[in-house]
Amino acid sequence: MYAQMIKSEATKEDPEKLAAFQARIDADDKIEPKDWMPLGYRKTLVRQIGQHAHSEIVGQLPEGNWVTRAPTLERKAILLAKVQDEAGHGLYLYCAAETLGVSRDELTEDLLSGKMKYSSIFNYPTLTWADMGAVGWLVDGAAIMNQVPLQRTSYGPYARAMVRICKEESFHQRQGYDIMMKMANGTSAQKRMAQDALNRFWYPALMMFGPSDKDSVHSEQSMAWKIKMNTNDELRQKFVDQTVPQAEYLGLTVPDPAVKWNDKTKRYDFSEPDWDEFFDVIKGNGPCNTERLAARNRAWDDGAWVRDGFLAHARKKAARRMAAE
Amino acid sequence: MSSVNPAPYDAPETEAARPRDEWPLWEIFIRGQHGLNHRHVGSLHAADAEMAVKNARDVYTRRNEGVSIWAVEARHIAASSPSDKGPFYEPAQSKVYRHPTFFDIPDEAGHM
Ligand SMILES: [Fe+2]
Ligand SMILES: [Fe+2]
């Protein structure tokens, strides 16, 4: 997902406090910033919310790539609004992480140095305009699948950020599907582009949910803490069940011959993505890892004088006001 | 309030955050179209008050969510302490007569 393979921290604290904390979570109580919480809960959340925030920010890059080349002025305005929303999502999430005692710049620096990760999906390139359709439809669609249950997560600021984000997400998915409909019903060349985009984004979208449950070692604690609401495989299956009929409606073919309705399970059968590829991308060897990180570093470095200038100006103004009083 | 913290967020139990030159944190309150109170919507960083209001417009009112913005630097917010939860609000527990349903008014008296 936007947060993949989050390692949850073991916690060694006063068993009485831990039990009381778990009881609050089991009672669906929200944990707020100043409440006592196990160190492991705090650390795991910083890692998870931070990675989620980084994904929103880095996720602007593959779509930003097409803003200047959108086919119409209206498409351009829509894409711009969508990318701007993602910046907002990053902000909401950084603020939620900050309530746990990390600073915004610390998180940013950990992204820029490669110490913290962002979702594997954003390390794939966006080669044609149809990719804007596939990204909105599949990538935002997969994100929604994960973010909707997270509105009920146990940490108050994270849950509230998710409520805001979910309100804005469905526009993203629908604008993507709208692009796909246009392309799939267009000329044969356009239809080919739409099919090609689906071919390239299908498995990377499935990987967004993280490794198969049998290989996800850290889920149990996170699920007990209600900072992970569903298992990876549950969400992946849900995503496939929702998406296959949508592809059929477009007249496109999911690039997996194993995709077939299973009358017994009442779900679609499908093939697992290539997990070696997934782990390789996570390690930094995806097609765009270097480019993405370089772009974020450049933006941060180029913006330094602006941040410093505003701060110096604000301090000078404050000093002048003090002197006048 | 028996214990008021200077900042809305406690420092973490991990190593203290290194001091840095970051734009301060602001809490943002927005009043919607329909005359309700300003409501806390979230926070953001800005160098000064003017920028905080402008950033709040961009971050929190992209879909006509509000017609008025308040920005308050987070360090100026006084907050009650979570450990008081019980005792702090205890005085309200025993005063059931503050609720209208405490009083039985006969139907004959009409709507009240
Ligand atoms: Fe988003
Ligand atoms: Fe989105």
Side-chain angles (χ1 to χ4, degrees), chain A residues 206-221:
Chain A
L206 293 190
M207 291 178 200
M208 287 175 67
F209 298 94
S212 160
D213 291 350
K214 58 184 189 302
D215 303 316
S216 326
V217 272
H218 309 295
S219 292
E220 217 169 293
Q221 177 64 78

Side-chain angles (χ1 to χ4, degrees), chain A residues 51-269:
Chain A
Q51 195 184 111
H52 196 156
H54 296 329
S55 299
E56 303 283 354
I57 297 299
V58 177
Q60 294 178 99
L61 295 170
E63 289 178 305
N65 181 34
W66 280 91
V67 169
T68 57
R69 293 175 288 161
T72 68
L73 189 56
E74 189 185 51
R75 291 286 183 196
K76 179 175 180 165
I78 292 170
L79 186 59
L80 201 55
K82 197 255 182 203
V83 172
Q84 191 190 12
D85 273 356
E86 304 300 2
H89 295 178
L91 275 168
Y92 309 154
L93 287 159
Y94 282 131
C95 287
E98 281 174 282
T99 65
L100 293 158
V102 277
S103 92
R104 172 80 57 93
D105 286 5
E106 270 176 277
L107 289 170
T108 303
E109 283 164 16
D110 284 350
L111 166 69
L112 297 181
S113 72
K115 189 176 154 205
M116 281 182 88
K117 302 285 180 216
Y118 53 89
S119 177
S120 56
I121 188 73
F122 301 119
N123 291 312
Y124 291 86
T126 46
L127 304 177
T128 73
W129 173 252
D131 289 10
M132 295 302 95
V135 167
W137 170 36
L138 302 173
V139 176
D140 289 78
I144 291 170
M145 207 112 259
N146 173 259
Q147 291 175 156
V148 166
L150 278 175
Q151 293 179 103
R152 293 179 287 107
T153 186
S154 62
Y155 188 56
Y158 192 24
R160 290 190 285 274
M162 279 302 132
V163 170
R164 290 197 76 82
I165 287 175
C166 286
K167 262 195 213 146
E168 300 179 351
E169 265 327 326
S170 72
F171 146 60
H172 298 177
Q173 192 185 17
R174 293 171 74 125
Q175 66 85 36
Y177 197 68
D178 187 66
I179 292 172
M180 290 307 270
M181 286 197 297
K182 198 92 192 165
M183 304 285 290
N185 296 315
T187 64
S188 61
Q190 285 172 320
K191 188 166 180 180
R192 266 201 311 279
M193 280 166 75
Q195 181 63 56
D196 171 60
L198 172 57
N199 291 349
R200 282 180 291 109
F201 277 95
W202 174 255
Y203 283 114
L206 293 190
M207 291 178 200
M208 287 175 67
F209 298 94
S212 160
D213 291 350
K214 58 184 189 302
D215 303 316
S216 326
V217 272
H218 309 295
S219 292
E220 217 169 293
Q221 177 64 78
S222 289
M223 288 187 77
W225 278 335
K226 293 191 186 158
I227 56 183
K228 185 179 172 84
M229 309 301 285
N230 306 85
T231 73
N232 298 348
D233 286 339
E234 259 166 48
L235 290 174
R236 189 169 13 251
Q237 178 73 56
K238 229 176 138 189
F239 175 77
V240 170
D241 291 344
Q242 174 188 288
T243 308
V244 170
Q246 291 170 347
E248 274 166 16
Y249 178 82
L250 293 171
L252 301 178
T253 315
V254 172
D256 173 6
V259 163
K260 216 170 80 234
W261 178 252
N262 184 326
D263 229 6
K264 255 197 244 116
T265 59
K266 301 284 173 210
R267 325 213 73 170
Y268 283 94
D269 294 334

Side-chain angles (χ1 to χ4, degrees), chain B residues 32-52:
Chain B
Q33 316 262 5
H34 308 293
L36 297 175
N37 290 328
H38 281 77
R39 209 168 69 97
H40 183 243
V41 292
S43 41
L44 50 77
H45 286 268
D48 58 19
E50 195 190 333
M51 186 195 278

